[in-house]
Amino acid sequence: MTGGLPSPGSGKNWDRLSEDERLFFCFQDDSLPLSPNHAARIFRLNREDAERVWAWRESLFPRDWPDGKEFFRYERFLRLESTDWNDETGGTRVRNWLFECGIPFERDVFLVYGHDLVVEVTWKILVLYWPAFAWSVGVGMVVLDRTGQWACGFHHENFIVFGSHCTDAS
Protein backbone atom coordinates (compact mmCIF):
# COMPACT_ATOMS: atom_id res chain seq x y z
CA MET A 1 0.00 0.00 0.00
CA THR A 2 3.01 2.32 0.08
CA GLY A 3 2.31 3.27 -3.53
CA GLY A 4 -0.56 5.47 -2.33
CA LEU A 5 1.64 7.38 0.08
CA PRO A 6 2.85 10.90 -0.68
CA SER A 7 6.21 11.36 -2.34
CA PRO A 8 9.03 12.20 0.08
CA GLY A 9 9.04 15.90 0.75
CA SER A 10 5.48 16.59 -0.37
CA GLY A 11 3.74 19.46 1.33
CA LYS A 12 5.16 22.73 2.67
CA ASN A 13 8.63 22.76 4.09
CA TRP A 14 9.59 24.67 7.23
CA ASP A 15 10.51 27.86 5.37
CA ARG A 16 7.06 28.03 3.75
CA LEU A 17 5.05 27.42 6.94
CA SER A 18 3.19 30.39 8.35
CA GLU A 19 4.06 31.72 11.79
CA ASP A 20 0.92 30.05 13.20
CA GLU A 21 1.84 26.70 11.63
CA ARG A 22 5.33 26.94 13.12
CA LEU A 23 3.93 27.70 16.57
CA PHE A 24 2.49 24.18 16.72
CA PHE A 25 6.05 23.01 17.28
CA CYS A 26 7.86 24.03 20.41
CA PHE A 27 11.40 24.74 19.27
CA GLN A 28 13.63 26.20 21.96
CA ASP A 29 14.95 29.66 21.22
CA ASP A 30 18.51 28.33 21.08
CA SER A 31 17.43 26.01 18.21
CA LEU A 32 16.12 28.86 16.09
CA PRO A 33 16.62 29.76 13.44
CA LEU A 34 16.98 26.20 12.21
CA SER A 35 19.96 25.52 9.99
CA PRO A 36 18.97 25.53 6.31
CA ASN A 37 19.79 21.81 6.05
CA HIS A 38 17.51 20.95 8.97
CA ALA A 39 14.71 23.30 7.88
CA ALA A 40 14.74 21.72 4.42
CA ARG A 41 13.96 18.29 5.96
CA ILE A 42 10.73 19.33 7.74
CA PHE A 43 7.55 19.06 5.63
CA ARG A 44 3.97 19.50 6.77
CA LEU A 45 1.83 17.44 4.42
CA ASN A 46 -1.21 19.01 2.80
CA ARG A 47 -4.59 17.81 4.10
CA GLU A 48 -5.17 15.26 1.32
CA ASP A 49 -1.76 13.62 1.79
CA ALA A 50 -2.13 13.72 5.58
CA GLU A 51 -5.44 11.90 5.32
CA ARG A 52 -3.87 9.23 3.07
CA VAL A 53 -1.07 8.65 5.61
CA TRP A 54 -3.64 8.56 8.44
CA ALA A 55 -5.74 5.94 6.63
CA TRP A 56 -2.65 3.87 5.89
CA ARG A 57 -1.49 4.09 9.53
CA GLU A 58 -4.94 2.95 10.69
CA SER A 59 -4.77 -0.06 8.35
CA LEU A 60 -1.48 -1.15 9.96
CA PHE A 61 -2.26 -1.18 13.68
CA PRO A 62 -4.98 -0.22 16.16
CA ARG A 63 -5.89 3.45 16.50
CA ASP A 64 -5.34 3.35 20.27
CA TRP A 65 -1.74 2.11 20.02
CA PRO A 66 0.36 2.81 22.09
CA ASP A 67 -2.38 3.59 24.62
CA GLY A 68 -4.03 0.20 24.24
CA LYS A 69 -2.52 -3.21 24.74
CA GLU A 70 0.70 -4.29 23.11
CA PHE A 71 0.44 -4.83 19.38
CA PHE A 72 3.95 -5.30 18.03
CA ARG A 73 5.97 -8.44 18.57
CA TYR A 74 8.77 -6.42 20.20
CA GLU A 75 8.01 -3.33 22.25
CA ARG A 76 10.22 -1.21 24.46
CA PHE A 77 9.14 1.68 26.67
CA LEU A 78 10.68 4.83 28.05
CA ARG A 79 9.01 6.87 30.78
CA LEU A 80 9.75 10.57 30.37
CA GLU A 81 10.75 12.58 33.42
CA SER A 82 10.06 16.29 33.71
CA THR A 83 13.79 16.95 33.34
CA ASP A 84 13.86 15.21 29.95
CA TRP A 85 12.09 18.19 28.36
CA ASN A 86 14.22 21.08 29.60
CA ASP A 87 17.50 19.62 30.75
CA GLU A 88 20.35 18.70 28.40
CA THR A 89 21.14 15.52 30.36
CA GLY A 90 17.53 14.39 30.21
CA GLY A 91 17.20 15.31 26.54
CA THR A 92 20.34 13.34 25.77
CA ARG A 93 18.90 10.32 27.63
CA VAL A 94 15.87 10.37 25.32
CA ARG A 95 17.98 10.97 22.18
CA ASN A 96 20.16 7.97 23.12
CA TRP A 97 17.07 5.82 23.65
CA LEU A 98 15.72 6.85 20.22
CA PHE A 99 19.14 6.20 18.63
CA GLU A 100 19.10 2.68 20.14
CA CYS A 101 15.89 1.94 18.22
CA GLY A 102 18.19 1.32 15.24
CA ILE A 103 16.47 3.46 12.62
CA PRO A 104 18.93 4.90 10.07
CA PHE A 105 19.27 8.66 10.48
CA GLU A 106 18.44 9.45 6.84
CA ARG A 107 15.20 7.41 6.89
CA ASP A 108 12.15 9.53 6.03
CA VAL A 109 9.45 9.16 8.69
CA PHE A 110 5.93 10.43 9.17
CA LEU A 111 4.94 12.14 12.42
CA VAL A 112 1.21 11.41 12.59
CA TYR A 113 -0.67 13.72 14.93
CA GLY A 114 -4.15 13.25 13.48
CA HIS A 115 -6.08 12.65 10.29
CA ASP A 116 -5.28 16.15 9.02
CA LEU A 117 -1.85 16.80 10.52
CA VAL A 118 1.15 14.77 9.41
CA VAL A 119 4.73 16.01 9.25
CA GLU A 120 7.52 14.30 7.32
CA VAL A 121 11.09 14.52 8.61
CA THR A 122 14.14 12.30 8.71
CA TRP A 123 14.74 10.14 11.76
CA LYS A 124 17.80 12.29 12.50
CA ILE A 125 15.69 15.46 12.64
CA LEU A 126 13.21 13.73 14.96
CA VAL A 127 16.01 12.55 17.27
CA LEU A 128 17.66 15.99 17.35
CA TYR A 129 14.47 17.96 17.97
CA TRP A 130 12.22 15.38 19.64
CA PRO A 131 10.93 17.80 22.34
CA ALA A 132 9.76 20.31 19.71
CA PHE A 133 7.81 17.63 17.84
CA ALA A 134 6.47 15.79 20.90
CA TRP A 135 5.53 18.81 23.03
CA SER A 136 2.28 19.61 21.22
CA VAL A 137 0.82 16.13 21.01
CA GLY A 138 -2.86 15.96 21.86
CA VAL A 139 -3.27 12.32 22.75
CA GLY A 140 -0.17 11.15 20.99
CA MET A 141 2.12 11.28 18.01
CA VAL A 142 2.92 8.12 16.10
CA VAL A 143 6.09 7.93 14.02
CA LEU A 144 6.41 5.40 11.22
CA ASP A 145 8.20 4.96 7.95
CA ARG A 146 7.07 3.67 4.58
CA THR A 147 7.73 0.02 5.51
CA GLY A 148 5.05 -0.08 8.22
CA GLN A 149 7.16 -2.65 10.09
CA TRP A 150 7.69 -0.48 13.14
CA ALA A 151 6.27 2.54 14.94
CA CYS A 152 7.31 4.88 17.72
CA GLY A 153 4.52 6.35 19.81
CA PHE A 154 4.96 9.52 21.86
CA HIS A 155 2.11 9.54 24.36
CA HIS A 156 0.73 12.59 26.16
CA GLU A 157 1.11 10.74 29.47
CA ASN A 158 4.89 11.13 29.14
CA PHE A 159 6.04 7.84 27.76
CA ILE A 160 7.47 6.64 24.47
CA VAL A 161 6.93 3.19 23.00
CA PHE A 162 8.90 1.70 20.15
CA GLY A 163 7.32 -1.35 18.54
CA SER A 164 8.54 -3.59 15.78
CA HIS A 165 7.49 -6.83 14.14
CA CYS A 166 11.13 -7.84 13.69
CA THR A 167 14.27 -7.50 15.77
CA ASP A 168 15.92 -5.14 13.26
CA ALA A 169 13.71 -2.18 12.30
CA SER A 170 16.15 -0.68 9.81
Side-chain angles (χ1 to χ4, degrees):
M1 173 143 186
T2 59
L5 292 176
S7 301
S10 74
K12 293 193 313 192
N13 78 349
W14 177 261
D15 292 332
R16 292 183 42 224
L17 294 177
S18 70
E19 178 104 12
D20 285 344
E21 290 170 318
R22 287 182 182 186
L23 287 177
F24 176 80
F25 308 106
C26 191
F27 282 95
Q28 298 296 318
D29 289 339
D30 61 348
S31 298
L32 296 174
L34 294 175
S35 77
N37 289 339
H38 291 179
R41 299 309 303 257
I42 299 172
F43 295 90
R44 180 176 174 162
L45 274 59
N46 63 38
R47 184 180 187 91
E48 179 182 301
D49 285 345
E51 288 176 352
R52 288 194 347 230
V53 172
W54 174 264
W56 177 66
R57 175 254 185 264
E58 289 212 321
S59 74
L60 295 174
F61 47 89
R63 179 183 288 192
D64 64 349
W65 185 90
D67 200 22
K69 58 185 174 177
E70 290 183 20
F71 171 75
F72 289 95
R73 186 171 179 190
Y74 304 99
E75 290 190 4
R76 55 193 295 254
F77 301 83
L78 177 67
R79 169 113 356 238
L80 298 176
E81 306 297 331
S82 60
T83 56
D84 292 336
W85 296 96
N86 302 320
D87 175 78
E88 187 56 37
T89 302
T92 299
R93 179 179 82 93
V94 176
R95 280 191 282 285
N96 287 340
W97 188 89
L98 291 169
F99 176 78
E100 291 168 2
C101 292
I103 306 301
F105 271 174
E106 291 307 312
R107 177 77 48 97
D108 289 321
V109 297
F110 296 110
L111 314 180
V112 181
Y113 295 94
H115 71 92
D116 62 348
L117 180 54
V118 175
V119 175
E120 187 174 8
V121 299
T122 61
W123 184 256
K124 177 182 180 178
I125 296 297
L126 173 66
V127 171
L128 285 173
Y129 300 112
W130 73 268
F133 294 117
W135 182 260
S136 297
V137 300
V139 172
M141 172 184 72
V142 174
V143 181
L144 67 158
D145 72 352
R146 293 170 186 279
T147 70
Q149 293 301 303
W150 61 269
C152 188
F154 289 75
H155 195 274
H156 74 104
E157 296 289 335
N158 284 330
F159 68 87
I160 306 172
V161 180
F162 181 83
S164 175
H165 292 303
C166 44
T167 56
D168 182 9
S170 60

